[in-house]
Amino acid sequence: MNASAVTIAVTGGAGSGKSLVCNRFRDLGAAVIDCDELAREAVAPGSSAYQRIVAYFGKSVVCADGALNRRQLRRKIVSDNSARSALNGFVHPEIIRLMQERMAHAETAGNEMIVVEVPLLFELGLEDRFDAVIVVSVSTEAQLQRLADRDHISLDQARALTDTQMPDAQKRRKAMFLIENNGSVEDLIRAVDAVYKKFCQKKTKKTESA
């Protein structure tokens, strides 16, 4: 493995802009792992998590092609704590396993910076597995509107979704680096570039002192 690899977790509330941040890190040369993609892999038809989900929620969460209907599943868990806990128990262990597998592969491949988008980083207690944590923060109004536009849902439904997540203020207090995403995409890119530069400077100093 590449012992000098820097591992960075990017987290934040739904609709905060985590993917945009990670995409910029990818453009800058970092290896990027998306836990949302791993979540889709974890519940692929035929997987053990898929079978447990269908057994628990029924055929109503299955699309015609056999894949899970993620939007329907989201609706079922938004206001049902027991259903949400059950789903998390089926999926999260497999996502974490896949994440560790991908990170090890990226290190073995010689990547010097590994960025992982982890929406539930703090909720799952995974922050200590990374060298640094970036929290992407956005105003409540902008977050709700982005979620409503992205998922084709009402603002009330978007608010119900955000209410199931750790409050933004709590995440901000846990951040090593905070990126505000209340402006333009160009503003966000500049903020990411500034953080990336800091990591590069730290790595240079570490190399020089070694």
Side-chain angles (χ1 to χ4, degrees):
M1 278 192 178
N2 178 15
S4 63
V6 176
T7 58
I8 304 164
V10 174
T11 193
S16 60
K18 299 182 296 297
S19 294
L20 289 173
V21 169
C22 288
N23 287 341
R24 182 55 182 171
F25 270 111
R26 182 183 285 110
D27 290 342
L28 293 168
V32 174
I33 299 167
D34 182 355
C35 281
D36 274 344
E37 290 183 3
L38 299 185
R40 286 188 281 274
E41 182 177 338
V43 298
S47 68
S48 60
Y50 173 94
Q51 292 170 351
R52 295 174 73 186
I53 290 168
V54 175
Y56 184 93
F57 291 97
K59 294 290 186 180
S60 65
V61 299
V62 179
C63 296
D65 63 0
L68 283 180
N69 186 328
R70 291 162 64 89
R71 187 174 297 173
Q72 176 68 13
L73 198 54
R74 190 181 299 124
R75 289 196 189 101
K76 286 182 175 290
I77 67 172
V78 161
S79 58
D80 188 332
N81 291 335
S82 61
R84 185 164 60 253
S85 295
L87 179 64
N88 291 343
F90 301 151
V91 179
H92 288 165
E94 181 63 9
I95 294 174
I96 293 170
R97 185 190 70 78
L98 290 169
M99 181 189 78
Q100 292 174 320
E101 182 181 279
R102 297 296 194 279
M103 289 177 70
H105 178 76
E107 282 194 279
T108 301
N111 290 284
E112 295 188 351
M113 184 177 294
I114 302 168
V115 176
V116 187
E117 182 178 339
V118 194
L120 299 178
L121 180 78
F122 300 124
E123 291 88 337
L124 296 177
L126 300 176
E127 59 267 37
D128 291 340
R129 302 187 185 209
F130 296 88
D131 297 319
V133 172
I134 297 172
V135 170
V136 187
S137 182
V138 65
S139 69
T140 301
E141 295 76 14
Q143 180 185 26
L144 294 178
Q145 191 60 59
R146 288 174 188 172
L147 280 175
D149 293 342
R150 185 192 74 184
D151 295 346
H152 307 292
I153 57 178
S154 68
L155 290 176
D156 285 341
Q157 290 173 315
R159 188 173 291 105
L161 174 61
T162 60
D163 285 346
T164 67
Q165 301 179 336
M166 179 182 288
D168 191 61
Q170 193 172 345
K171 291 181 180 179
R172 291 167 66 98
R173 288 195 295 270
K174 293 173 173 285
M176 182 179 294
F177 295 94
L178 178 65
I179 293 179
E180 302 275 6
N181 185 23
N182 293 309
S184 66
V185 173
E186 290 74 19
D187 290 336
L188 182 64
I189 288 174
R190 281 192 288 270
V192 175
D193 289 357
V195 173
Y196 175 81
K197 185 176 180 180
K198 290 179 181 179
F199 282 121
C200 291
Q201 290 171 341
K202 285 185 176 182
K203 185 171 180 60
T204 299
K205 289 179 181 178
K206 183 177 179 181
T207 302
E208 290 175 347
S209 63

